Amino acid sequence: MDTKTKAGAGALPLNTILDGDCIDEMRKLPDCSVDLVFADPPYNLQLKGHLHRPDNSRVDAVDDAWDSFASFQTYDQFTRAWLAEARRVLKPNGAIWVIGSYHNVFRLGAALQDLQFWILNDVVWRKTNPMPNFRGKRLTNAHETLIWASKEEASRYTFNYEALKELNDGVQMRSDWVLPICTGHEREKDENGEKAHPTQKPQSLLHRVMIATSNPGDVVLDPFFGTGTTGAVAKMLGRDYIGIERDADYRRVAETRLARIRKYDKAALEVTRPKRAEPRVPFGQLVERGMLRPGEVLTSLNGRHAAKVRADGTLVADDVKGSIHKVGAALEGAPSCNGWTYWCFKRDGQTVPIDLLRQQIRAEMQ
Amino acid sequence: MDTKTKAGAGALPLNTILDGDCIDEMRKLPDCSVDLVFADPPYNLQLKGHLHRPDNSRVDAVDDAWDSFASFQTYDQFTRAWLAEARRVLKPNGAIWVIGSYHNVFRLGAALQDLQFWILNDVVWRKTNPMPNFRGKRLTNAHETLIWASKEEASRYTFNYEALKELNDGVQMRSDWVLPICTGHEREKDENGEKAHPTQKPQSLLHRVMIATSNPGDVVLDPFFGTGTTGAVAKMLGRDYIGIERDADYRRVAETRLARIRKYDKAALEVTRPKRAEPRVPFGQLVERGMLRPGEVLTSLNGRHAAKVRADGTLVADDVKGSIHKVGAALEGAPSCNGWTYWCFKRDGQTVPIDLLRQQIRAEMQ
DNA sequence: TAAATTGCTGAATCGGAGA
DNA sequence: TTCTCCGATTCAGCAATTT
């Protein structure tokens, strides 16, 4: 087992599966210690014929209003208890994903909001191959819902926008994800060759979740670990995981599964970075380095405006002086303006944005 | 006005728009008198400042007073009050549809369950043309959620299975509906030519709802009538409607609109059939789904170049990074390149184009 | 303050070919 | 020549918890 602990975070049981109830086990973890929680809690499907109280005694009359209300209450209590622990364990800039169906997802979402999580998106997992509706009494239940929320409104959560855009062929990723359910070789089997877990999630779903909202080296906690899809994808993608699972059979399947997994190589884990993360280049440096001369005239992208470069890296146009951004915004009457892509200069008879010069400097900095 | 009353149901104000608060007006309606409720309540968006597009144009946000609530608690009280009245007014075998976004839909769903409604499906309206995410900080919010619920678990609700199957080219209708947002001529305008209502729903959505879960002659109640899409579609499809709207401007637009509508104007509704094109498959999906592994090496069709797959579905070769098309073009010194037919991988000792994998995914999507 | 950030649809307009 | 038609192009607009 490639267990280790994270320096400075107490004693995090990284890359292990904790044996026990998720609320009890989370209580043992320190505050503000994990980056991401992924949770696939029980769906509360047992509401139909057989209703059980917390002590496992059976509720008889299902059409009784009081009983029915009580069952939602019980589910809500459980939900709010584990969500509160998950929130405590999350770092201030951490985030959570929960997944559910119409049976439980409204309870989950309302609980998240009441506990001061801040919902960022709800995401629809649209199944390419759902179970048909055999009786023709309802619509084919062809999707499940994920909720992505940060610990609090002010959290500076992780979102790898550019990587997701790449995953989606260059257009920004939407809130509806089309992915097949988990079948075939990917589906974990028990000793009898039967499916080991009734609701195993596809690795593709977790892959997208982790690429989108975590970075290599992050700690991912799954309080309902099951057969370990979260751990498997975390390990492949170079994240650390903590699993909690109280069922010994599921734990055994997950241990075997995780032992087989290999991490992808480092280059493969690199994803497209945002421009914000690239080193800042002051406009003045272009002037200092002689790429633009003081007195040279820049023109706006739309050709309607012109401004003169000054020796200190500011621009002057008519009665406006200031940074490339400020002058551009003023001339356009706009609240803001990205001067790098707005202002152009002449090179070889062509008019090109000054951002080209910044890219040259950045390339030299590599 | 084609007002009439329904025999034996007290004095139902059929095919009229009631002026007032929806809770007050519903209180005046008799118990167990309507077949279907469609409700598009305020979403309780919690918007702070102003948002601009990259081109500096301002996003016309929903900042109307009717959408603003002091807290979740206030919103919940309002929600439970109108839902309770709606339930009282519903016939025993009646049903309700509510629509919302992640801001409010979890409150709605939990309230429905607590009030003994029985959820039948949640339905995802996937927008073909949603508003993009301009800041690149979240996923494009490309869907809204509808909840379909019967008055109680024992209700023998209406579901026109065969009609929906027909609407869906002969295959069972799923819980995700792909429909465009309301634009163009369908969008109601005020005297100034501005959109009359910020959140007008497309007729195609109401058409599907009513075909699915009501019959000609049924009474459909909409407590948040707005500019009257529910009434318009009800009238076209030979259902009776009752609208409630407290805003005089919205009522006026709705009255004018409804006067224009003719029953069974099927031609006007036919335009919303989705077109079937070859579905786009992002290359990233091959990676997410494990058909190609991050770190795996692809070779060019001519055997002269190689590139490594990254976890976000980009390729890296020498000093070029980017999409399969971009990297192919760069290596060949060509202006463009179809990466699907250019890049190959090994399978069973043979080198085959990655397009084979795309074909597999498309076959699954049928 | 600096600098980053948008996809799709339907209507309107424009330009070229053919009547 | 002038008009019409059609395809190509441009442009406006959309429920947003947006560093």
Side-chain angles (χ1 to χ4, degrees), chain B residues 154-214:
Chain B
S155 299
R156 295 202 311 274
Y157 55 88
T158 298
F159 181 56
N160 295 315
Y161 176 78
E162 290 299 335
L164 251 70
K165 194 168 172 179
E166 208 54 49
L167 263 184
N168 199 33
D169 282 342
V171 296
Q172 209 169 67
M173 184 70 80
R174 302 166 40 113
S175 56
D176 56 310
W177 298 355
V178 181
L179 298 168
I181 62 176
C182 181
T183 56
H185 289 132
E186 192 189 322
R187 190 90 195 208
E188 295 294 324
K189 305 292 192 302
D190 63 17
E191 315 78 43
N192 308 319
E194 305 288 314
K195 61 183 175 189
H197 193 283
T199 70
Q200 187 181 338
K201 295 292 174 287
Q203 292 189 9
S204 56
L205 188 70
L206 273 293
H207 182 261
R208 192 173 293 182
V209 162
M210 284 190 214
I211 291 293
T213 61
S214 74

Side-chain angles (χ1 to χ4, degrees), chain B residues 258-300:
Chain B
L258 285 160
R260 280 199 314 266
I261 300 287
R262 293 289 161 262
K263 183 176 164 180
Y264 291 124
D265 188 1
K266 277 194 175 166
L269 289 165
E270 291 297 340
V271 296
T272 56
R273 291 291 291 269
K275 39 183 180 288
R276 294 236 179 269
E278 278 259 81
R280 194 173 62 85
V281 176
F283 174 71
Q285 203 164 119
L286 308 193
V287 183
E288 287 177 330
R289 296 175 60 163
M291 301 167 99
L292 293 173
R293 292 167 45 90
E296 190 165 348
V297 173
L298 303 183
T299 52
S300 65

Side-chain angles (χ1 to χ4, degrees), chain A residues 126 140 153 172 208 268 336, chain B residues 48 133 140 172 176 288 311:
Chain A
R126 182 190 188 267
T140 303
E153 185 179 354
Q172 66 180 203
R208 192 173 291 183
S336 71
Chain B
K48 307 245 155 46
N133 184 292
T140 304
Q172 209 169 67
D176 56 310
E288 287 177 330

Side-chain angles (χ1 to χ4, degrees), chain A residues 8 25 71 81 122 165 201 216 225 263 304 360:
Chain A
E25 293 305 310
S71 82
D122 60 337
K165 193 169 173 178
K201 296 291 174 287
F225 202 62
K263 178 179 164 178
R304 280 200 282 271
Q360 282 179 18

